[in-house]
Amino acid sequence: MLARLERFRLIAAGQAEVLVLIVDSDGLLVERRLRAGELTCPPCGAVLAPWGHGRPREVRGDLGARLFVRPRRSRCTACQVTHVLLPEVVWPRRMDAAEVIGSGLEIAALGLGHRQIGARLGLAEGTVRGWIRRFRHRSEAVRRYFTVALVALADDPVMPEAAASPLSDAVSVIAAAHRAAALKWPAMNTVSPWAFAGRAIGGRVLTCTSPTS
């Protein structure tokens, strides 16, 4: 309740808030759901309405591919908070696709350093180092979140064995939760574990709060 009152205070003061909402990568599906009133505001639960588009951005995909994204924007019909609808294949404030970052984190879980990972992925060492540092900082919170998700998704959940580091533990449980989700919903097999992870945790794989955009 206090958080909601603070949002109304910011709006009243003319400081419009913008949040990120991770959605399906199928833009046509998202548009249909948005116009049908099927998307709701996470803070207050009211219906989201169309509200233009975010700025176009280029995201680096796997094997050097370039993804051009222009996220849809929406606005809550009740609390007036604006949401950028970001497709699950990308994460907030990242120039690389979720699958690319996830591949780097999987390699890091095997014990390789950022220089080796950067060379394998063809990316700057500093970029990879930033991913790893942020994920290490978030690893325990991510591990807990996806452990709960695994228990909720699997009929007979099998917890991954303890790994060499908290980062590796977090990577393992994300993979296990994705497998459980794919068994429950076969269509999830077409979604990468890292797109699944980003959508499940609201884009907060590398950041602890919902970022602005």
Side-chain angles (χ1 to χ4, degrees), residues 80-150:
Q80 303 300 301
V81 169
T82 301
H83 298 266
V84 174
L85 307 182
L86 196 63
E88 62 193 356
V89 293
V90 297
W91 290 346
R93 294 183 176 177
R94 295 290 143 191
M95 293 180 61
D96 297 280
E99 190 169 358
V100 174
I101 300 173
S103 295
L105 297 177
E106 289 171 359
I107 299 171
L110 298 176
L112 276 69
H114 66 273
R115 292 184 177 85
Q116 294 167 296
I117 299 170
R120 288 194 179 195
L121 298 180
L123 295 173
E125 295 175 3
T127 297
V128 177
R129 183 174 58 241
W131 301 344
I132 296 172
R133 283 180 175 174
R134 286 183 173 272
F135 193 67
R136 280 179 177 153
H137 179 71
R138 290 280 295 149
S139 58
E140 180 54 25
V142 170
R143 184 197 65 78
R144 288 198 305 267
Y145 184 95
F146 284 98
T147 296
V148 173
L150 174 57

Side-chain angles (χ1 to χ4, degrees), residues 4 14 26 30 42 61 95 98 100 108 126 131 145 152 160 172 186-187 198 203 210:
R4 190 177 302 176
D26 185 338
V30 172
M95 293 180 61
V100 174
W131 301 344
Y145 184 95
S172 294
S210 182

Side-chain angles (χ1 to χ4, degrees), residues 35 42 52 57 63 68-69 75 90 95 99 104 119 125 163 191 195:
R35 292 187 177 278
R57 61 191 75 181
L63 301 176
F68 294 92
V69 180
R75 192 174 188 184
V90 297
M95 293 180 61
E99 190 169 358
E125 295 175 3
V191 178

Side-chain angles (χ1 to χ4, degrees), residues 147-165:
T147 296
V148 173
L150 174 57
V151 172
L153 288 167
D155 294 330
D156 186 17
V158 177
M159 295 298 154
E161 294 185 6
S165 68

Side-chain angles (χ1 to χ4, degrees), residues 11-30:
I11 293 164
Q15 302 175 37
E17 188 177 6
V18 181
L19 301 179
V20 171
L21 180 62
I22 307 297
V23 295
D24 196 282
S25 295
D26 185 338
L28 293 177
L29 174 62
V30 172

